[in-house]
Amino acid sequence: MPQSKRRITWGLGLGLLAWQCFLPLSATADGSRTALIGFAARLSDSLAQSARQGTELAVEEANQQRYPESEPIQFVLLAQDDQGNPHLAVNVARYFVKSRVAGVIGHWSSESILAAGRTYEEAGIAQINFTSSSSQVTRQGYQTSFRVIGGTADLAVSLADAAIDVLQGQRVAIIGNDSAYSVALSNSLAAEVVARSKKVLQRTTISAKTSDFNAVLKAAVDEHADVIVFSAYVVQLGAFVKAVKRLGIKAKILLTSGASNQNVTAEDNGNFYVLEPDIQQEHCRSWKTFEQKFQRRFGRPSTTYARYAYNATNTLIQAVRQADVVNGLPVTLALHKIHYMGLSGAIMFDQAGNSINPAYTLYHFEAPGWRAVQFFSPDQRKIGQCIKG
């Protein structure tokens, strides 16, 4: 048995015997208990701020609801800025453990998530990831790691479907950076493309800090790439898109999660596509309601990350209520059994904490915005669940 699983099993044995003595009730003046919801990200990032607002909205709504706990539970958001730094992420994780949070939404980057994971595992505190698809997050054997979006392998399969079957790519080029997320995704995508098509494949890795894409894009053009997949994080997207326009590239550009939050109108070459996790918003009545609430509360449209964070937070809140405790291992155990109806259907996790049956939608930019082209999911019933939601 892996060491991490031995830790969680040992913790379970102690927890079931004594968690009521170990966990504070944190009673408030009205007799309710307080459950802290940790949120960690690089808060200087506008997309991360939007995600924090999604979490904040979920907490506010939960506190307005009546739920038949033995004693009422009041939820409080505890947000921390890890600056996207793995070392700082560990310090933030230790602070959350000391604060006895019910669980953590985040962190933002794969590096931060991976760095903080052991701290949460040893404390039995659930960590729900809503941004990174790096499969390494849930391959560590930690029982406290969960993800509400698909993993690297899931995303790579749908990206290959989009590049080869939908966009009809004959010569596919992959441009990624040296971050843990992008390297893992590029590796999986390259394997998928080669395995299914035997098409010519070019693979290039650049620094996660660069804004100069001229050389790699020119190399893709020289190889006559007809589909170029950019597998890096959205912070580099603006510079990448400008380079595509400046060089007059005619190949189809396939972007990944988060890109639809960006306005590419001024730089559009007519061939920008993005594959986003989840179902097209227009199919989901609950998504429309969420958008209305979000705009009333914060005075601006939501982002994809706001919706994912909202889903993750509500999933954690339901686990707290089902466990009827404000923190500790029982919350993590409840998440392993959870069946929560989120904005686009059921959210459930496998034994490793991966999202079950993750869905993706391919969008094409057509002024004034992104238009859905095709839906990908191992379970086509997700659309029906969403429409009924």
Side-chain angles (χ1 to χ4, degrees):
M1 180 182 295
Q3 182 179 358
S4 61
K5 291 189 177 181
R6 286 200 296 270
R7 278 198 304 272
I8 201 73
T9 303
W10 176 246
L12 172 59
L14 293 177
L16 290 180
L17 291 174
W19 65 264
Q20 285 182 319
C21 298
F22 176 74
L23 302 176
L25 289 181
S26 304
T28 60
D30 62 0
S32 64
R33 296 167 291 169
T34 299
L36 298 177
I37 304 293
F39 178 90
R42 182 173 53 193
L43 295 181
S44 60
D45 188 316
S46 61
L47 289 175
Q49 292 172 9
S50 177
R52 173 182 173 172
Q53 289 172 334
T55 293
E56 186 177 344
L57 182 60
V59 168
E60 290 174 355
E61 290 177 351
N63 289 331
Q64 295 168 0
Q65 298 169 351
R66 295 183 179 275
Y67 198 87
E69 300 103 338
S70 56
E71 296 175 55
I73 296 177
Q74 186 78 10
F75 295 92
V76 175
L77 175 61
L78 184 61
Q80 293 290 300
D81 188 352
D82 68 8
Q83 299 178 21
N85 183 309
H87 299 292
L88 186 54
V90 173
N91 290 334
V92 168
R94 290 170 180 164
Y95 170 72
F96 282 149
V97 170
K98 185 177 179 180
S99 301
R100 293 187 173 180
V101 297
V104 177
I105 308 302
H107 297 229
W108 188 268
S109 68
S110 297
E111 288 83 356
S112 294
I113 294 167
L114 293 168
R118 178 180 291 275
T119 301
Y120 296 127
E121 172 74 4
E122 291 176 346
I125 293 176
Q127 174 192 19
I128 306 182
N129 171 26
F130 64 95
T131 53
S132 173
S133 63
S134 176
S135 293
Q136 189 177 353
V137 171
T138 50
R139 284 177 179 167
Q140 299 178 101
Y142 295 162
Q143 298 298 294
T144 53
S145 294
F146 301 87
R147 179 176 40 232
V148 294
I149 62 174
T152 302
D154 303 308
L155 177 55
V157 168
S158 292
L159 276 173
D161 287 341
I164 296 172
D165 299 336
V166 181
L167 303 184
Q168 298 295 299
Q170 297 296 314
R171 303 174 72 89
V172 179
I174 301 172
I175 298 176
N177 65 28
D178 54 6
S179 68
Y181 160 76
S182 185
V183 170
L185 178 57
S186 295
N187 288 341
S188 294
L189 177 58
E192 282 291 332
V193 172
V194 171
R196 71 178 60 193
S197 69
K198 309 300 182 185
K199 305 289 169 80
V200 174
L201 175 68
Q202 183 188 42
R203 165 87 180 275
T204 310
T205 302
I206 42 88
S207 168
K209 298 180 180 179
T210 190
S211 58
D212 183 1
F213 296 96
N214 289 337
V216 292
L217 285 171
K218 287 178 180 177
V221 171
D222 290 343
E223 292 293 330
H224 305 289
D226 52 5
V227 174
I228 300 175
V229 183
F230 185 54
S231 66
Y233 177 55
V234 294
V235 293
Q236 292 180 297
L237 180 63
F240 178 81
V241 170
K242 288 178 181 178
V244 169
K245 179 191 177 185
R246 184 173 59 252
L247 296 173
I249 292 176
K250 302 302 180 183
K252 295 172 182 175
I253 308 296
L254 179 55
L255 309 171
T256 60
S257 308
S260 67
N261 296 302
Q262 308 295 313
N263 183 1
V264 302
T265 305
E267 294 83 20
D268 183 25
N269 73 342
N271 284 307
F272 280 104
Y273 296 81
V274 58
L275 189 72
E276 291 282 7
D278 236 318
I279 296 170
Q280 182 185 355
Q281 298 175 41
E282 287 73 13
H283 284 304
C284 302
R285 290 183 295 205
S286 55
W287 244 344
K288 296 175 184 177
T289 302
F290 165 80
E291 184 64 29
Q292 292 170 353
K293 291 179 180 178
F294 190 94
Q295 293 203 36
R296 283 198 303 267
R297 175 65 178 84
F298 300 108
R300 63 168 180 165
S302 70
T303 65
T304 58
Y305 294 118
R307 295 191 288 272
Y308 306 154
Y310 179 83
N311 267 339
T313 307
N314 276 315
T315 304
L316 175 58
I317 287 171
Q318 179 163 309
V320 169
R321 285 175 161 166
Q322 288 183 357
D324 198 19
V325 298
V326 297
N327 53 24
L329 189 58
V331 177
T332 295
L333 297 177
L335 280 169
H336 278 284
K337 302 176 183 178
I338 206 78
H339 185 285
Y340 171 71
M341 290 304 296
L343 294 176
S344 57
I347 294 176
M348 298 178 289
F349 306 108
D350 65 17
Q351 187 176 2
N354 297 300
S355 174
I356 295 177
N357 293 322
Y360 297 91
T361 299
L362 179 67
Y363 296 88
H364 178 223
F365 187 83
E366 299 176 8
W370 296 95
R371 181 184 67 83
V373 175
Q374 188 158 330
F375 171 72
F376 303 91
S377 173
D379 185 358
Q380 296 296 320
R381 295 173 298 174
K382 287 186 76 73
I383 288 184
Q385 292 174 350
C386 182
I387 292 174
K388 294 176 182 177

